[in-house]
Amino acid sequence: MYKIFDTVDEVSRYTAQRLLKKVQEKPSAALGLATGSTMEPVYARLVQMLHRSSQDVSQLTMFNLDEYIGLSAQHTQSYCYYMYQHFYNRLRIPKDRVNLPDGMAEDIERACQAYSETIQARGGLEFQLLGIGSNGHIGFNEPQTSFSSRTHVVELSEQTRIDNGRFFTDQRQVPTHAITMGLQDILETQEIVLVATGRKKAGIIAELFHSSVDEALPASVLKQHKNVTFVLDREAAASLPH
Ligand code: F6R
């Protein structure tokens, strides 16, 4: 299903409402969460809505999609830092309810395996929030990632490193590798909402719309999922057929 709104604010409000509804229906839900510019206004809205509704969030479990390898939790560009800054601290989510891939783990392969196993042991996630990269990645699953992948180490594509360079003072500081939840982990989620806003996403959204299910375009795997909503603003939807 596609939902297209005029403004980023409307997109964020709708997406936050979908999350709020899930939390109200199931206060012990497991939520899969994304980072990035697109999600900042979504988390701002969601924090506001959760505060206003005095919703209990203490029983939720959070699983983040990805993390850079080599950045500590205190590094201001780590996804751990981002999540505490934009969401977890603002809701006082207890640390033991938060799962983030550990980009500093000594045994990264083991840490990846354990991450997927934890998700599976809990019976999968109820809700997954996704953004999309300009090359069609979801999480950090870059083009040609196997649809059957579990949490794994990925070498970031040049395109992704350039796109994400805007967050770093110097392009050379952008990590070359990351950990990401796999596409199979994402597909096993009950409900998925992918959000894309801004003109820069118009090309990949049109490609995704027209594409068949193909590992060259990781987000196309979502077309196999029964409950996925693509939430777009007018700019991101600009190249879709009327
Ligand atoms: C980050 C993530 C990525 C981003 C994507 C878009 O946790 O999962 O797939 O969602 O790179 O990033 P922005 O929103 O910054 O354009």
Side-chain angles (χ1 to χ4, degrees), residues 33-39 64-66 79 129-134 137-141 160 164 166-167 180 195 197 201:
L33 298 175
T35 63
S37 316
T38 314
M39 299 306 158
N64 264 90
L65 274 170
D66 42 18
Y79 287 172
L129 183 60
L130 294 175
I132 183 168
S134 63
H137 72 219
I138 50 176
F140 268 141
N141 292 286
T160 298
N164 289 5
R166 70 191 191 280
F167 298 112
T180 183
V195 187
T197 54
K201 298 288 166 73

Side-chain angles (χ1 to χ4, degrees), residues 166-197:
R166 70 191 191 280
F167 298 112
F168 293 80
T169 44
D170 182 331
Q171 182 65 38
R172 283 169 303 184
Q173 290 174 0
V174 184
T176 55
H177 291 75
I179 300 177
T180 183
M181 216 184 258
L183 293 170
Q184 186 63 35
D185 296 314
I186 293 172
L187 273 188
E188 284 169 3
T189 304
Q190 284 172 21
E191 183 178 343
I192 299 177
V193 171
L194 182 147
V195 187
T197 54

